Amino acid sequence: MLRLYLRSLFAPPVSEPPPEPDPRALDELARALAQRARHRLGRSLAIRQVDAGSCNGCELEIHALDSAVYALERHGIRFVASPKHADVLLVTGPVTRNMAFALQRAFDCTPPPRWVVAAGDCACGCGVFAPSYALAGEDGAVERVIPVDLHIRGCPPTPLDLLRGLLALLEAADGRIAPAAGVPPRTG
Amino acid sequence: MDPLLSRLAGLSPEPDHRPWPRYRVDVGLWLRLREDLAAGRLDLLAEFAEPEEVHAVLFRPSPPGLAVASLPCPDGRFPALAALHLPAVRFERAIRDLVGLEPEGLPDRRPWLDHGRWPLTRPLASAPGPAADAADYPFLPVEGEGLHQIPVGPIHAGIIEPGHFRFTAAGETVVRLEERLGWVHKGIEARLRGTGIDDAARIVARVSGDSTVAWSWAFARAVEAACGVEPPPRAEWLRALLLELERLANHIGDIGAICNDAAFRLIHAHCGILRERVRRATAELTGHRFAMDRVVPGGVRIDPDAAALARLRRLADELGPAFEEIVAAYDDTPSLLDRTAGTGRLDPALARRFAAGGHVGRASGRAFDSRAQLAPSPYDALGFSPALREAGDVDARVWVRIDEVRESLRLIAAILDGLPGGPVRVEVPRRAGCGLGIAESFRGEVLVWLRLDAEGRVVRCHPRDPSWLQWPLLEAAIEGNIVADFPLCNKSFNCSYSGHDL
Ligand code: SF4
């Protein structure tokens, strides 16, 4: 027991060096920024995760991201318990019809400026469960229900994929990148 | 004579169902089987339906035996098993919602997975019905002085799946918990119809992402049984290796999360680090952090070389001592044990009645582990011993996980030492047939029932997550505890929402 405490106090940090933000995500965000007033969030993001129908695989990777290994808080990114405290809704899963209204409510409770990140192939509308009668808009893409600013693909996206996307979001929110013109919308 | 055999003796099993027999039964026999269930002589592992027929997967605990009983329902109704055997209630509510067969005598006729928000009703019926109006869901009434209700969800405060919990409390104490599930219903069973084996494998692998290897293995077994092929020995051993890595990652994560819900973050942090090492090792071995889609019908899609296996062996050797430090920290912290010991106690009689699998059953004295009783290969060759505790509280569920982590580490070492050579995959012929596949996920046994047509397409596939039989027990285990201990109890069960909601 004592050894665990001592090791926790004196061992070097286990956290990974941060990755570069994902260039594709930067492009997509630049486009999103060009479409509306830029708000400065400062170098801090409060994230509210909403599982709108996932298989729970995406949640596992978000949990991993929230562990000591990735040490999110050093980037100013933290998970919060209420959408009312959030800048970002991080939405997973194909949105089920049974969850669509709850997702809409969570979005309505999130004060602007707010960002919506669709995390995982399912949330992007191209997961294995689509098409289905039980999914919003048959494919379960998050944008069937609320507007999306950033897509992070993967089944599930790895913690590094997620971190790259979120870092890109921070950069964008911080006004470091110029709005790009003519970035084609992502399909699929 | 044992009930399963005496009841079904004299019937001839359906010729196309493997590896366990399936019997067509008449109403009289169905009712007698229902009495066996009610008397505890048989366990109900699953109940599901096709448009013309309802199926019950029956298990006889000792000596272990399994059979499927199928009752034709030409007029769209059948006697509800739930009339005498309450664990069938949710299965039969789901059958009503999805297939539209009417379970006669079902004590709870409220919809379960259907929240009235789909563009149709009875999606698995031959002719689905028109959309229903989203009606208010009547929660069970409660009466009593000074009682108040606390509704929670579907969205919760943490990074967890959605579900609705309605607590009725007297002061701090929970008098009743009523769950309402179905929020993440994705229509998996309807989606599976008509898919080829490869697509179906990818879908079943995601019924509950945390147990993807177990699901893939159970599906592969169902296909292999239906098509009459055997995977090569090396593939079986590699499947077990991936399954034990999955169990390690999940149990270690759960132990940390339970301690976190008891406000002990240090163990959570260390468990998070260990779990990440397991995930990375899995990625190194398979190219995917959860080994998704690596177990496939006919074998596996990996064939690691000696160097990769040696690296994994080193990791397994290092994890043991690091994990024991965490165990010592848990065992040495009275303030933590004060939260877990005696909390959320599940009565062993209930665990038996509901045939609760996994740590939920094994922490309440139900000595069942499908690795030992139903699907032994290759565990029989590895000398496997299942965990068992009796106390039924949060602490016992933590200890079952601890014992299973230790056993998984031992199994991984044994697999790496004895891994046979040879091919890792065989061709799966396309042919019609029915198969039942079972694999022991970290949560309990997952079960896949499958009917294939002659082109190898799915006619019907029913994936049954162990959570079906565990969720109702959480309602019982929380009674008499304080509301603030619910997250702790819930985490100690860690039922899957996605696996249950389908
Ligand atoms: S993207 Fe993959 S891991 Fe995420 S919810 Fe969908 S199936 Fe599960």
Side-chain angles (χ1 to χ4, degrees):
Chain A
M1 175 68 184
L2 191 60
R3 277 184 57 201
L4 192 68
Y5 280 131
L6 291 176
R7 206 148 55 77
S8 309
L9 283 174
F10 297 113
V14 294
S15 311
E16 293 275 309
E20 290 294 310
D22 181 350
R24 281 180 316 160
L26 281 173
D27 281 352
E28 186 181 7
L29 288 165
R31 193 165 49 82
L33 274 171
Q35 286 168 0
R36 63 170 132 152
R38 179 182 299 152
H39 294 278
R40 285 172 186 264
L41 302 170
R43 288 289 301 178
S44 140
L45 280 185
I47 300 178
R48 172 65 243 221
Q49 195 266 338
V50 179
D51 173 347
S54 125
C55 80
N56 79 27
C58 282
E59 278 59 40
L60 286 181
E61 291 299 52
I62 295 170
H63 271 292
L65 181 64
D66 201 21
S67 74
V69 181
Y70 296 95
L72 267 192
E73 298 221 6
R74 76 194 145 137
H75 305 297
I77 302 174
R78 65 194 194 318
F79 286 94
V80 295
S82 166
K84 293 184 179 143
H85 306 151
D87 308 307
V88 175
L89 286 186
L90 179 64
V91 187
T92 61
V95 182
T96 64
R97 290 195 199 263
N98 287 352
M99 275 302 287
F101 80 100
L103 175 62
Q104 177 73 53
R105 268 194 216 163
F107 179 77
D108 293 342
C109 289
T110 312
R114 60 195 162 189
W115 301 76
V116 175
V117 178
D121 284 352
C122 288
C124 297
C126 49
V128 298
F129 303 110
S132 164
Y133 66 88
L135 303 182
E138 305 276 306
D139 66 2
V142 176
E143 56 236 314
R144 302 280 179 189
V145 183
I146 55 175
V148 174
D149 298 294
L150 173 65
H151 296 85
I152 303 177
R153 294 279 303 268
C155 180
T158 64
L160 275 182
D161 294 336
L162 292 163
L163 187 52
R164 280 196 205 101
L166 294 174
L167 289 178
L169 195 61
L170 266 175
E171 302 258 327
D174 211 29
R176 298 247 192 100
I177 53 169
V183 180
R186 289 175 66 92
T187 52
Chain B
M1 200 166 167
D2 67 78
L4 199 59
L5 290 184
S6 61
R7 295 282 189 230
L8 302 172
L11 299 179
S12 45
E14 298 294 308
D16 63 345
H17 193 277
R18 281 175 295 264
W20 293 283
R22 179 168 85 94
Y23 300 95
R24 274 238 161 81
V25 301
D26 59 16
V27 173
L29 190 46
W30 179 262
L31 293 177
R32 287 197 296 281
L33 290 168
R34 179 168 81 174
E35 278 163 25
D36 289 335
L37 288 169
R41 292 188 288 266
L42 290 177
D43 290 345
L44 180 67
L45 293 190
E47 190 185 1
F48 55 96
E50 295 180 275
E52 312 285 318
E53 213 169 23
V54 57
H55 307 287
V57 180
L58 303 167
F59 175 66
R60 179 196 54 205
S62 116
L66 193 136
V68 180
S70 304
L71 174 70
C73 318
D75 55 354
R77 31 190 77 237
F78 64 96
L81 297 178
L84 294 185
H85 187 61
L86 287 178
V89 167
R90 289 181 181 178
F91 288 139
E92 293 182 340
R93 289 170 74 185
I95 288 172
R96 272 187 98 218
D97 287 359
L98 298 178
V99 189
L101 297 181
E102 188 59 41
E104 289 180 308
L106 176 62
D108 185 342
R109 295 167 47 81
R110 294 173 297 170
W112 182 238
L113 300 177
D114 186 349
H115 292 191
R117 296 177 183 276
W118 305 333
L120 44 65
T121 46
R122 310 190 302 269
L124 297 176
S126 323
D133 287 336
D136 276 345
Y137 185 79
F139 284 91
L140 298 175
V142 264
E143 278 170 41
E145 207 168 326
L147 295 183
H148 61 283
Q149 289 209 328
I150 312 170
V152 183
I155 300 183
H156 302 293
I159 303 171
I160 56 170
E161 300 179 77
H164 182 92
F165 300 112
R166 184 146 306 204
F167 298 95
T168 303
E172 289 269 312
T173 307
V174 179
V175 179
R176 177 197 280 160
L177 163 65
E178 187 182 351
E179 297 158 357
R180 188 185 184 201
L181 301 174
W183 307 91
V184 294
H185 176 78
K186 295 180 264 294
I188 289 176
E189 288 169 286
R191 175 76 180 83
L192 280 165
R193 281 184 312 194
T195 53
I197 287 172
D198 295 346
D199 283 344
R202 290 175 53 80
I203 296 168
V204 175
R206 289 156 179 81
V207 165
S208 183
D210 50 14
S211 18
T212 181
V213 172
W215 275 115
S216 292
W217 195 354
F219 180 77
R221 277 183 162 145
V223 172
E224 288 154 8
C227 300
V229 292
E230 292 268 341
R234 183 172 171 84
E236 287 282 79
W237 284 59
L238 286 170
R239 287 171 173 184
L241 179 64
L242 298 182
L243 187 69
E244 297 311 315
L245 284 169
E246 177 172 280
R247 190 181 327 281
L248 269 188
N250 281 305
H251 275 340
I252 292 173
D254 276 0
I255 292 167
I258 293 167
C259 294
N260 194 42
D261 280 337
F264 200 84
R265 308 227 15 203
L266 181 70
I267 290 182
H268 181 53
H270 281 276
C271 286
I273 295 166
L274 285 197
R275 186 184 56 180
E276 182 64 15
R277 292 185 65 184
V278 178
R279 296 265 188 244
R280 288 181 183 190
T282 307
E284 209 183 316
L285 191 71
T286 68
H288 190 287
R289 284 165 50 86
F290 304 158
M292 263 180 178
D293 308 320
R294 282 4 184 216
V295 174
V296 290
V300 290
R301 281 177 45 211
I302 60 167
D303 197 1
D305 59 19
L309 297 173
R311 278 197 300 278
L312 192 60
R313 178 72 218 240
R314 274 198 300 282
L315 173 84
D317 291 343
E318 285 165 25
L319 280 184
F323 180 69
E324 290 307 325
E325 277 186 50
I326 290 173
V327 176
Y330 176 77
D331 207 17
D332 283 358
T333 307
S335 62
L336 184 55
L337 297 175
D338 190 45
R339 292 290 305 280
T340 59
T343 304
R345 190 176 168 278
L346 172 64
D347 183 350
L350 270 181
R352 265 202 311 280
R353 189 158 155 68
F354 276 74
H359 44 261
V360 173
R362 291 197 281 274
S364 287
R366 182 170 182 260
F368 173 79
D369 186 316
S370 68
R371 287 174 290 176
Q373 278 110 324
L374 286 176
S377 168
Y379 290 94
D380 40 6
L382 294 166
F384 165 68
S385 61
L388 190 65
R389 300 268 165 168
E390 306 286 337
D393 54 3
V394 173
D395 180 56
R397 288 187 284 279
V398 171
W399 279 107
V400 167
R401 285 177 169 90
I402 290 172
D403 292 342
E404 292 190 4
V405 167
R406 290 170 171 163
E407 183 68 2
S408 290
L409 284 168
R410 197 189 64 70
L411 288 167
I412 288 170
I415 293 169
L416 291 171
D417 289 345
L419 185 66
V424 293
R425 199 169 171 185
V426 293
E427 262 320 295
V428 177
R430 285 183 187 188
R431 51 178 280 194
C434 292
L436 180 58
I438 293 179
E440 187 74 17
S441 80
F442 79 102
R443 184 177 276 125
E445 81 289 349
V446 301
L447 185 151
V448 173
W449 189 84
L450 181 68
R451 184 197 292 282
L452 293 174
D453 68 13
E455 266 91 68
R457 277 190 310 260
V458 173
V459 179
R460 177 81 167 94
C461 176
H462 176 72
R464 198 243 41 197
D465 194 90
S467 307
W468 276 96
L469 296 161
Q470 297 166 340
W471 272 120
L473 297 172
L474 180 63
E475 292 185 343
I478 187 67
E479 252 178 57
N481 288 259
I482 58 172
V483 178
D485 274 344
F486 179 70
L488 190 60
C489 296
N490 192 17
K491 197 72 221 177
S492 76
F493 272 61
N494 191 15
C495 303
S496 172
Y497 301 70
S498 180
H500 168 279
D501 291 354
L502 289 174

